Amino acid sequence: MSDHASPASIRAFVVTVETDHVDLASDRLWQLGVRAVEERSPADGGAGIELWTSVGQDDDAIARAAARLEPDWAWRVVDVPTTFSETWRAHVEPSRLADDLVIVPEWIKIDVGADVTRVVIEPGGAFGLGDHPTSQLSASALRSELRHRVDRGDTPISVLDVGCGTGVLSIVAALSGATSVRAIDIAAEAVAATAANAALNDVADRIEVDDVLVHQIGGTYDVVVANILAPVVIASAADLTRLIGADGTLIISGILADAHEHVVAALAPLEVVETTTQEGWAAVVLRRADRHGMPAPPNGLSRS
């Protein structure tokens, strides 16, 4: 076991709305970049529905989230003890994303074998160990894209990781040929976890991480990866499209395999070149239609 010390509690952000405002309020929370929204009936039997989520541990992140709510939506912060949630650590195992790529929890010591890239992750209070299908799909697509660019002699290669969580994809990018990685997340614990994990994997000099919002970022990147949920992709579509260069690639995941056409449509004029699926989730690779003077395949490629 590591000497990791978790906080005694996690700060849940709870929004209470009338029943007919649930969809609108949930969508507003998704647009903030949250990872999950749970609907609950008030414990005191009061009217309305409570939407439970997390926007970060620090007061600034909570204040930013509250400022995006409607004036008549009540909100509060609830400290949720982490005592029971920490027991999962005893049952976690390394996650093999590919034959030559393994995600290893920091507290597990294991020999992954020769010629295998080892990504060490300590999640802390942030989200994910890279074992979710969307993380695996994103990592595979990202690694493939970067290897293609390295093989054809591209340099430098820049990557933007939108919604970096614990930094799995940023680290995979840095270990797969990216010369610079920008990682962003609205949650302060995610920013801290990504920075710490970059150091654990000796790539801190190539990863810049902060809580800047995607619409505040300028310039363009060779590859943009966004493993975030569909409503957030749609809300950020104009910026995601703007941020990839003329020869750039966008990789999105966090979307359902059988219901993501509306997400792809929001990203026009980018066109699908490949779709991969796993356990009901999808990752989609998109590029500009005129990349290298050749149009993208009209229907894209698809594989499971």
Side-chain angles (χ1 to χ4, degrees):
M1 300 292 286
S2 75
D3 58 0
H4 163 77
S6 295
S9 62
I10 294 174
R11 304 180 78 185
F13 186 69
V14 184
V15 180
T16 304
V17 297
E18 297 177 6
T19 304
D20 57 355
H21 287 177
V22 167
D23 288 344
L24 177 61
S26 295
D27 185 63
R28 191 73 56 83
L29 293 172
W30 289 125
Q31 290 180 32
L32 290 171
V34 302
R35 310 291 180 164
V37 177
E38 179 184 356
E39 296 182 16
R40 298 185 188 179
S41 298
D44 62 3
I49 296 293
E50 294 181 346
L51 303 176
W52 288 64
T53 189
S54 175
V55 296
Q57 293 286 88
D58 64 294
D59 292 339
D60 288 343
I62 292 170
R64 286 197 301 270
R68 297 287 298 275
L69 304 180
E70 296 300 314
D72 58 338
W73 295 350
W75 64 273
R76 70 186 192 278
V77 175
V78 178
D79 289 331
V80 180
T82 60
T83 304
F84 296 106
S85 65
E86 281 296 295
T87 62
W88 65 272
R89 287 175 171 264
H91 306 286
V92 169
E93 297 181 351
S95 177
R96 188 172 291 273
L97 302 192
D99 290 342
D100 60 350
L101 178 63
V102 178
I103 308 297
V104 181
E106 189 274 337
W107 57 93
I108 294 178
K109 308 307 177 186
I110 186 174
D111 181 4
V112 299
D115 301 320
V116 175
T117 299
R118 174 193 184 107
V119 178
V120 179
I121 296 295
E122 166 54 73
F127 176 86
L129 270 169
D131 54 352
H132 191 270
T134 60
S135 298
Q136 297 178 0
L137 290 167
S138 299
S140 178
L142 178 61
R143 193 163 169 81
S144 177
E145 175 66 22
L146 291 172
R147 282 181 165 175
H148 169 70
R149 290 175 179 271
V150 170
D151 288 346
R152 74 181 188 185
D154 289 11
T155 187
I157 303 173
S158 60
V159 172
L160 173 65
D161 181 5
V162 180
C164 58
T166 51
V168 171
L169 297 179
S170 292
I171 295 165
V172 168
L175 294 174
S176 300
T179 52
S180 65
V181 181
R182 179 76 182 274
I184 61 173
D185 202 295
I186 65 165
E189 351 29 344
V191 172
T194 295
N197 287 324
L200 279 175
N201 290 274
D202 297 322
V203 292
D205 58 331
R206 277 174 279 162
I207 297 177
E208 176 187 0
V209 56
D210 52 45
D211 61 357
V212 170
L213 300 177
V214 67
H215 73 265
Q216 298 174 312
I217 296 179
T220 59
Y221 294 80
D222 296 309
V223 183
V224 176
V225 58
N227 182 20
I228 52 182
L229 294 170
V232 189
V233 174
I234 293 171
S236 307
D239 291 306
L240 294 174
T241 303
R242 169 181 61 83
L243 287 165
I244 69 166
D247 187 35
T249 298
L250 173 64
I251 300 168
I252 61 169
S253 192
I255 56 178
L256 297 175
D258 59 357
H260 63 265
E261 292 81 2
H262 62 302
V263 182
V264 171
L267 294 164
L270 301 186
E271 296 188 1
V272 176
V273 295
E274 184 179 32
T275 300
T276 54
T277 61
Q278 180 179 331
E279 298 179 22
W281 296 94
V284 180
V285 179
L286 305 99
R287 300 188 183 112
R288 301 192 187 281
D290 59 353
R291 179 174 175 177
H292 302 308
M294 296 291 290
N299 298 314
L301 302 175
S302 181
R303 58 186 172 90
S304 297

